[in-house]
Amino acid sequence: MAEPEFTAMGVRIGKRMRSLTRAGQVRISDGRVELLNSYGSEIDSAPVQAVRASKPWFAPNDKALADLNGERYLLTLGEQDPAPGEPGPPAARRFIEAVRRAAGRGD
């Protein structure tokens, strides 16, 4: 198994108005985007080319939207990247860039 291209832990994952986990994990690895709950069980996954990641309008900088398999998930990552050696999820902007880069849609 290859090294993950992107990993974020401690991510709040929600679907519509419901919170699915407050300490989840988002991973991009082997051409797939995976959303995992706090126990490591899969919530959803899809090939990276089929995933759309974006920044929601009028939302704080720590939010990102991810569309997987026709479902829209609201991800709460970090507002800024944590300092080196500090715990915390990476910035939402890095997740969006990682999806685009893995799918070959951006630089």
Side-chain angles (χ1 to χ4, degrees):
M1 187 164 138
E3 183 74 23
E5 298 161 29
F6 177 87
T7 301
M9 301 181 82
V11 178
R12 172 174 257 156
I13 302 172
K15 188 167 138 183
R16 296 196 179 116
M17 297 301 288
R18 194 176 93 182
S19 177
L20 300 176
T21 184
R22 294 188 306 172
Q25 184 176 357
V26 177
R27 187 169 49 201
I28 301 174
S29 180
D30 297 327
R32 293 189 70 77
V33 175
E34 299 172 308
L35 304 179
L36 308 171
N37 67 16
S38 57
Y39 299 108
S41 298
E42 186 176 288
I43 295 171
D44 204 348
S45 71
V48 74
Q49 291 84 5
V51 174
R52 199 176 98 214
S54 61
K55 174 91 177 74
W57 288 17
F58 305 110
N61 289 335
D62 63 346
K63 307 273 191 226
L65 291 174
D67 293 330
L68 284 83
N69 301 319
E71 297 289 338
R72 178 168 285 176
Y73 296 93
L74 179 63
L75 310 176
T76 304
L77 294 110
E79 222 174 279
Q80 300 177 348
D81 288 332
E86 292 292 317
R93 171 187 44 77
R94 274 199 37 224
F95 166 70
I96 295 167
E97 290 169 359
V99 169
R100 290 180 181 156
R101 197 171 39 252
R105 290 185 286 231
D107 295 338

